[in-house]
Amino acid sequence: MNTLTTRTPLATYVVRHADDNVILGQRLAEYISRAPELEEDLAVANFALDHIGVAQHLFAYASAVEGDGRDADALAMLRSEREYTNLLLVEQPHADFAEVMARQCFFDAYQVLLWRRLSASTDETIAGVAQRAVKEATYHLRHSSGWVVRLGDGTDESHGRMQHAVDRMWRFTGEMFEGDDLDREMAALGVGVEPADLEEEWQATVDSILEEATLTRPADPYQATGGRRGLHTEFLGRLLAEMQWMQRSYGGLTW
Amino acid sequence: MSEHAGRARFAAIIEADEKVEPRDWMPDEYRANLIRQMAQHAHSEVIGMQPEANWITRAPTLMRKAILIAKVQDEAGHGLYLYSAAETLGVSRDELQEMLHSGRQKYSSIFNYPTLSWADVGAIGWLVDGAAIVNQIVLQGTSYGPYSRAMVKICKEESFHARQGYSIMMALVEGSDEQKAMAQDAIDRWWWPALMMFGPHDAESSHSERSMAWKIKRIKNDDLRQMFVDQTVPQAHYLGLTIPDPDLEFDEETGHWRIGEIDWDEFWRTIKGDGPLNRERIAHKVKAWEDGRWVREAATEYARKQRARLGKSA
């Protein structure tokens, strides 16, 4: 049962990409003030800000498309866990800096390709968001892949940790390229893309990063799935409990 | 240049209200005093990230969340900028950090207080950054060039911080009874600690006199505090909030707001390490630093390998 309810397929499509960004932004926000160096606190805050900025624009657009009075914040913070349609990758918690960067690198490599395609969307708002976001994602990928390489090809300890992080996040990467009826519908209209079309280039990008990092591409064939249908890992509920707390505790107020 | 000539030139720079630059001769104590003050300032920016980061993940709206992240990011940037400025005095960022972790250098005591509600984020921006700005505007005129220039840059961003704090408070006092109570509770808890940010009365300040002579410090603690009180009391009244000081009154003759006596026991207790969160703030910082050790080591090792590879291919 997919309980996501928006009025239109377009809003549903926009919300899934907004969800990816708000949830990853929230995860990164948890890490601020905990980074190995001040420069990385700055970088992580910058990533969080960019992802939340993208989410703000997309939720606002979804809200306008829906037109039933649910504003961007209500969409972001007042849905139930089963109504969030983000990829499982972005909700994964991080045990260390290597996991922060592995999650980021895999997602950045995907978002660079996604936004590049969506920059040519027939939907002007989506195209506008994508044209800005592709620049941010490109910069994020440079930073995150730089750390994957540095840690992979650093010390024995960092190599082991980076490999572990890659192995840990790997099973959540296949989901990025699964398409469903909505993806096909949006792609047919020229609004969206078929996720499968991004996979080959993503694999090539990630392979070359892993190779430079002297890391082994995980052989684990298992791939998790369900995020787009609102079937999440247990981690999302706790993230939402924190993110939604103010909106849930003090209904209908202006902040 | 001989030490004698250097000393004469230093005195002339201070006298003429010009800036001392890193390569200029300066008395050892001037240097030590500046390192202490600039490091304390940098540490305050960095430790100050914690009480606000405490609310990023719970910010009530996406807009507030984004603004708060940007603000905390600015603080990390200010910390970096100030550490760099301090490094011009011949001390490394790692050394300064170590002195923070071991408790040999201090940071502003205000950050030892907890942020217990969303309104505290507003109160920090409005009161704490407001107080910092009063201090920092004056510090733009400080005699050490790199510090003075850092302040010019930082002041611009701080005024945005204070405005965002005031905007949070404004939204609260225009909101529900619960929100108004939240705002009042925040000023009740933050007002006195904010006043303590200006330090003890000048008579009891161990560094004040010499810092004034060297023009590191340009205005006395009590005078700065008065400037802050005079600018903030009307703002509180505009917000409809009560300042938690029964002795507060307007002095018609001087045009200044007169405050009651600060609880100096609390002030000294917190400075000496027994504020509500002194231990937690340092523990958080030390943990992040220790958790990141393997990352920094890896970065150094990778850079070494890269140099070796480049050396081979060249």
Side-chain angles (χ1 to χ4, degrees):
Chain A
M1 179 185 79
N2 177 4
T3 58
L4 174 70
T5 46
T6 57
R7 288 274 174 80
T8 74
L10 177 59
T12 306
Y13 187 72
V14 170
V15 164
R16 61 171 60 167
H17 294 295
D19 283 348
D20 284 349
N21 281 280
V22 77
I23 300 300
L24 183 56
Q26 178 77 5
R27 273 291 180 234
L28 290 166
E30 293 170 358
Y31 197 65
I32 298 171
S33 85
R34 294 177 165 84
E37 301 201 69
L38 267 180
E39 285 84 348
E40 291 311 304
D41 272 321
L42 270 170
V44 164
N46 194 270
F47 291 3
L49 207 47
D50 287 344
H51 288 302
I52 286 166
V54 166
Q56 270 178 293
H57 283 110
L58 293 179
F59 280 130
Y61 184 44
S63 161
V65 171
E66 256 194 348
D68 68 353
R70 203 157 48 152
D71 67 11
D73 287 317
L75 280 170
M77 303 207 191
L78 287 172
R79 283 175 293 147
S80 75
E81 187 177 338
R82 292 279 279 106
E83 291 176 295
Y84 281 79
T85 53
N86 57 280
L87 297 165
L88 302 177
L89 176 67
V90 295
E91 72 198 38
Q92 296 310 304
H94 43 256
D96 65 7
F97 186 69
E99 292 194 353
V100 171
M101 287 302 155
R103 183 183 62 203
Q104 191 69 35
C105 180
F106 291 158
F107 187 67
D108 291 341
Y110 159 76
Q111 285 227 306
V112 166
L113 302 172
L114 175 75
W115 296 132
R116 197 181 288 157
R117 295 291 189 95
L118 290 180
S119 294
S121 170
T122 54
D123 182 299
E124 280 180 24
T125 306
I126 292 178
V129 171
Q131 284 157 19
R132 203 184 93 171
V134 72
K135 292 181 196 146
E136 295 167 351
T138 303
Y139 157 72
H140 295 179
L141 178 61
R142 200 178 312 145
H143 191 87
S144 60
S145 66
W147 273 112
V148 171
V149 169
R150 225 170 283 141
L151 297 177
D153 191 18
T155 61
D156 287 348
E157 180 181 7
S158 72
H159 180 85
R161 283 176 178 263
M162 197 65 236
Q163 184 67 54
H164 183 269
V166 164
D167 293 347
R168 153 97 178 86
M169 297 297 168
W170 190 256
R171 64 182 179 275
F172 302 106
T173 56
E175 192 190 25
M176 296 190 283
F177 311 107
E178 284 175 10
D180 60 9
D181 289 345
L182 179 61
D183 285 312
R184 280 182 283 280
E185 183 185 345
M186 289 296 127
L189 291 169
V191 170
V193 292
E194 284 266 24
D197 292 349
L198 309 176
E199 184 166 14
E200 200 182 339
E201 202 175 340
W202 184 88
Q203 297 285 359
T205 304
V206 167
D207 279 347
S208 101
I209 294 167
L210 293 179
E211 192 190 335
E212 195 186 345
T214 71
L215 294 167
T216 309
R217 180 183 223 277
D220 187 356
Y222 171 70
Q223 289 292 323
T225 181
R228 296 292 190 227
R229 285 172 288 128
L231 291 166
H232 293 276
T233 56
E234 289 178 347
F235 301 116
L236 182 67
R238 289 172 182 278
L239 178 147
L240 293 178
E242 191 168 344
M243 185 169 90
Q244 298 185 336
W245 180 72
M246 291 285 288
Q247 289 282 347
R248 295 271 184 212
S249 303
Y250 308 95
L253 301 181
T254 301
W255 302 95
Chain B
M1 196 185 295
S2 71
E3 183 179 329
H4 181 74
R7 191 179 292 276
R9 189 171 135 66
F10 176 81
I13 292 172
I14 299 293
E15 172 64 28
D17 248 341
E18 286 168 4
K19 300 299 177 201
V20 178
E21 295 299 335
R23 284 157 183 273
D24 292 334
W25 184 92
M26 62 188 88
D28 289 345
E29 285 169 34
Y30 176 86
R31 186 184 300 273
N33 203 319
L34 268 174
I35 289 175
R36 179 191 57 79
Q37 186 173 335
M38 291 168 75
Q40 181 166 325
H41 200 156
H43 298 330
S44 301
E45 296 281 358
V46 172
I47 297 291
M49 293 165 69
Q50 290 181 38
E52 294 184 290
N54 184 37
W55 280 91
I56 291 177
T57 53
R58 289 178 289 170
T61 67
L62 291 177
M63 178 62 84
R64 291 292 183 200
K65 192 189 290 287
I67 292 172
L68 187 55
I69 293 171
K71 180 173 190 287
V72 174
Q73 187 187 23
D74 282 349
E75 279 148 16
H78 295 172
L80 267 183
Y81 205 65
L82 284 161
Y83 283 127
S84 301
E87 284 185 322
T88 64
L89 292 162
V91 60
S92 76
R93 202 212 302 183
D94 283 0
E95 286 174 90
L96 296 175
Q97 233 171 201
E98 207 287 311
M99 287 196 269
L100 169 66
H101 295 173
S102 63
R104 276 179 295 155
Q105 284 181 343
K106 306 247 180 264
Y107 54 90
S108 180
S109 274
I110 193 82
F111 300 118
N112 292 316
Y113 290 85
T115 45
L116 302 178
S117 81
W118 172 250
D120 289 17
V121 175
I124 287 187
W126 171 39
L127 299 175
V128 176
D129 291 312
I133 289 170
V134 169
N135 235 327
Q136 290 171 348
I137 284 179
V138 178
L139 274 173
Q140 292 179 96
T142 196
S143 59
Y144 188 56
Y147 195 22
S148 158
R149 290 187 288 274
M151 284 305 108
V152 172
K153 184 180 152 77
I154 287 172
C155 277
K156 285 184 192 148
E157 290 178 352
E158 290 290 352
S159 68
F160 148 73
H161 295 175
R163 275 202 302 276
Q164 71 88 31
Y166 198 74
S167 140
I168 289 174
M169 298 307 281
M170 189 71 102
L172 292 175
V173 301
E174 285 172 353
S176 69
D177 287 348
E178 214 169 2
Q179 285 172 303
K180 285 178 195 148
M182 203 185 274
Q184 182 62 49
D185 177 54
I187 190 175
D188 286 349
R189 284 180 291 109
W190 289 93
W191 173 254
W192 290 107
L195 296 185
M196 293 177 199
M197 286 174 69
F198 296 95
H201 292 312
D202 295 282
E204 282 133 53
S205 174
S206 52
H207 305 290
S208 262
E209 206 174 319
R210 178 166 276 168
S211 290
M212 290 291 286
W214 278 332
K215 295 185 179 172
I216 293 174
K217 193 176 170 74
R218 307 304 306 254
I219 298 183
K220 292 177 170 183
N221 291 352
D222 288 324
D223 293 342
L224 287 168
R225 186 163 22 240
Q226 188 63 53
M227 286 162 70
F228 173 71
V229 168
D230 288 339
Q231 95 181 21
T232 309
V233 171
Q235 292 170 351
H237 289 162
Y238 184 79
L239 289 170
L241 296 173
T242 306
I243 288 177
D245 178 357
D247 297 327
L248 184 75
E249 59 177 12
F250 189 69
D251 184 338
E252 295 283 354
E253 224 165 276
T254 60
H256 291 301
W257 286 93
R258 294 292 168 214
I259 56 170
E261 195 52 30
I262 288 170
D263 180 350
W264 294 110
D265 288 342
E266 177 181 334
F267 172 80
W268 291 113
R269 195 165 59 238
T270 306
I271 283 203
K272 287 178 178 147
D274 292 336
L277 289 177
N278 297 54
R279 286 160 178 78
E280 286 79 359
R281 295 297 186 229
I282 289 296
H284 178 113
K285 183 73 184 59
V286 170
K287 182 175 190 313
W289 185 246
E290 292 302 327
D291 285 352
R293 182 176 299 282
W294 67 272
V295 175
R296 297 188 301 275
E297 285 169 359
T300 306
E301 176 60 11
Y302 179 75
R304 191 196 61 75
K305 287 183 186 176
Q306 283 295 83
R307 275 194 306 275
R309 283 190 277 250
L310 284 172
K312 253 178 223 162
S313 67

